[in-house]
Amino acid sequence: MQALYLLALVPIAEATGDESSYGFRTGRSAADAIEQCFSLLARGGRAEWILEGDIASCFDRISHDWLLTQVPMERSILHKWLKAGFMDESVFYPTESGTPQGGVVSPVLANMALDGLQSALRERFPRWHDERNRKVHMVRYADDFIVTGDSKQVLEDEVMPLVERFLGERGLELSHKKTVITHIEAGFDFLGQNVRKYRGKLLITPSKQRTLSFLALIRKRIKANNATSAGEMVRMLNPALRGWANYHRHVVSKNAYRFVDHQIWQALWQWALRRHPNKGRGWVRKKYFTADHGRQWIFTGQIKTAAGEKRELRLFSVASVPIWRHVAVKGTANPFDPAWEAYFASRQRRRMRTAEHDHQWLDPAPLHQLVFPPHATSLVDASRNPVPRGGLRSLSRMLGN
């Protein structure tokens, strides 16, 4: 039933949503949010201070009274959803606040609750009529958001109180431990990317913390599958590698890509040595690694197809993913408005061309293995620095954060 009501609720949410809101919205992605950050911060004379907002338990604390009053749908149905409660280990827990646990309508309800913050900021800090030009702008992805400003004082004394009042009306509050104000030269992490200026030049790179977390997950999978064949190992790792690389393909990622490739090669080399403690390194290399098209040490294995035939699989190279500048969606674009139909059709054609280009130039693989998750970030990589060899310090030098 929620899905049926959602069909009617989504067009309303799109028509009334904030222009700079990108999470859980049709035709928008994290890549658009990061590109908007680049547009707001890259050029000289732009805002230099950023409020990194963190809403404490957003989905669990939204006021039911506010939702019942403001969401344009049948109140009796919405009331039942909100008060339905949930079961955990055969124990029933009532819900007195927050959106429906696990419901398909929850992201839209949360978006509708947070929509209006951009309008409130614009009303308080007009973009064209403010003589002092406070440079206050917002970028939001679901419950993660940033607000820019021309000074730390403006963000502390004027923006934060406004945001707190806005959230308080909806039963929400900022997490004072995680909400911080940062200068652009110190940089900040947002949606898995690090945004920072170096001597006046803005660079957006994969977050060091998120990159290390991804590598830790890959190493855990490798160590947990000591008895797995090389082919099955490749089939298990490739979707994760493609997904991570595609997410970061619109930012300055080439150094991070090479670092990740090298770290995964080290983990697989140790995995191969542990499997054959009585064999020489030359034998191990010949069994598990091959070379092709200028690439050395390509981890390779075989799997059996449904027809019983053997097929060779090669580990996907993260560094083979080309960097593409993401074109952000227009803030006023509405996928449910017929006037924007041609615009979204052109964006879809662009995505299809990108996918075709990827299949042509990336490591060869059967079509059914290719994974193209939502894009997520911006800024073409012009860096050609060599890859440092291993460790947190090397990653810090490469990513610059």
Side-chain angles (χ1 to χ4, degrees):
M1 181 179 287
Q2 286 190 16
L4 291 176
Y5 275 87
L6 190 64
L7 293 175
L9 201 57
V10 168
I12 300 174
E14 287 294 331
T16 59
D18 288 340
E19 294 179 9
S20 294
S21 167
Y22 300 99
F24 302 113
R25 294 185 62 181
T26 305
R28 301 190 179 211
S29 66
D32 298 304
I34 295 297
E35 181 63 25
Q36 181 67 6
C37 291
F38 180 76
S39 299
L40 293 175
L41 300 169
R43 297 178 182 175
R46 297 300 178 94
E48 295 185 348
W49 290 90
I50 296 91
L51 168 67
E52 302 175 58
D54 185 276
I55 303 174
S57 303
C58 176
F59 286 83
D60 296 329
R61 294 188 178 183
I62 299 176
S63 168
H64 285 181
D65 291 337
W66 191 93
L67 290 173
L68 290 169
T69 303
Q70 302 297 328
V71 175
M73 65 169 290
E74 190 174 351
R75 291 187 62 182
S76 61
I77 298 296
L78 180 57
H79 183 271
K80 292 178 181 178
W81 292 348
L82 297 176
K83 302 298 183 181
F86 64 96
M87 297 284 291
D88 184 25
E89 296 182 354
S90 301
V91 178
F92 176 78
Y93 296 89
T95 49
E96 300 301 330
S97 62
T99 55
Q101 295 285 333
V104 295
V105 76
S106 295
V108 176
L109 293 179
N111 262 342
M112 296 183 79
L114 297 177
D115 283 333
L117 178 57
Q118 184 176 25
S119 299
L121 290 170
R122 285 183 176 177
E123 182 179 351
R124 177 64 181 83
F125 306 98
R127 290 190 293 179
W128 308 119
H129 303 290
D130 186 5
E131 295 179 356
R132 296 183 60 185
N133 191 15
R134 305 293 181 82
K135 304 173 184 176
V136 175
H137 302 281
M138 183 201 75
V139 180
R140 180 171 68 84
Y141 187 94
D143 58 338
D144 293 327
F145 69 94
I146 65 164
V147 181
T148 65
D150 68 336
S151 70
K152 185 177 182 179
Q153 183 177 1
V154 168
L155 295 177
E156 284 182 341
D157 299 341
E158 300 185 53
V159 172
M160 279 192 64
L162 185 153
V163 173
E164 289 174 339
R165 287 194 300 272
F166 177 88
L167 296 177
E169 296 173 357
R170 292 151 175 79
L172 302 171
E173 62 180 0
L174 290 174
S175 171
H176 294 286
K177 291 184 178 180
K178 297 181 180 179
T179 299
V180 295
I181 297 175
T182 310
H183 194 272
I184 189 60
E185 291 186 356
F188 63 95
D189 286 351
F190 185 53
L191 302 179
Q193 315 294 355
N194 181 263
V195 184
R196 185 177 177 183
K197 268 190 177 180
Y198 299 85
R199 298 180 181 178
K201 181 178 181 180
L202 184 73
L203 294 181
I204 303 179
T205 59
S207 164
K208 177 175 67 179
Q209 179 182 356
R210 293 294 184 88
T211 300
L212 293 177
S213 296
F214 173 72
L215 285 172
L217 176 63
I218 294 298
R219 293 190 187 102
K220 183 178 179 180
R221 290 186 182 182
I222 293 174
K223 290 180 180 179
N225 290 274
N226 285 328
T228 301
S229 68
E232 290 299 327
M233 179 70 74
V234 172
R235 183 154 60 178
M236 177 181 62
L237 294 181
N238 275 357
L241 298 179
R242 281 197 179 93
W244 186 87
N246 283 332
Y247 185 85
H248 294 284
R249 66 178 306 170
H250 300 293
V251 298
V252 184
S253 301
K254 277 302 181 182
N255 281 341
Y257 284 174
R258 290 191 286 266
F259 176 83
V260 168
D261 272 346
H262 180 68
Q263 294 296 310
I264 293 174
W265 170 82
Q266 286 186 325
L268 289 172
W269 175 242
Q270 294 300 320
W271 173 86
L273 292 177
R274 287 195 300 270
R275 287 170 63 90
H276 305 281
N278 298 324
K279 297 292 185 178
R281 290 174 177 253
W283 184 92
V284 172
R285 174 177 179 176
K286 185 177 180 179
K287 179 175 177 62
Y288 291 105
F289 297 89
T290 186
D292 186 38
H293 291 88
R295 282 188 61 201
Q296 306 294 323
W297 293 85
I298 305 174
F299 187 75
T300 306
Q302 290 186 339
I303 61 169
K304 282 189 177 181
T305 65
E309 300 176 351
K310 290 186 178 181
R311 173 180 294 169
E312 183 179 82
L313 289 183
R314 295 179 177 179
L315 187 71
F316 177 73
S317 171
V318 172
S320 68
V321 175
I323 303 300
W324 286 75
R325 177 68 180 266
H326 181 73
V327 178
V329 66
K330 293 183 179 179
T332 56
N334 184 346
F336 297 94
D337 185 347
W340 291 96
E341 183 177 350
Y343 172 76
F344 281 100
S346 67
R347 290 181 64 83
Q348 179 64 25
R349 287 194 295 270
R350 178 185 174 89
R351 284 193 291 269
M352 293 297 292
R353 289 195 298 268
T354 301
E356 291 173 0
H357 181 277
D358 288 348
H359 182 56
Q360 179 180 1
W361 293 104
L362 298 186
D363 286 351
L367 278 173
H368 71 272
Q369 295 184 36
L370 293 180
V371 178
F372 299 104
H375 297 300
T377 36
S378 67
L379 190 61
V380 175
D381 181 13
S383 174
R384 293 294 183 270
N385 295 328
V387 181
R389 292 271 177 176
L392 180 59
R393 184 176 299 176
S394 298
L395 182 61
S396 299
R397 289 200 302 268
M398 283 195 310
L399 302 184
N401 59 75

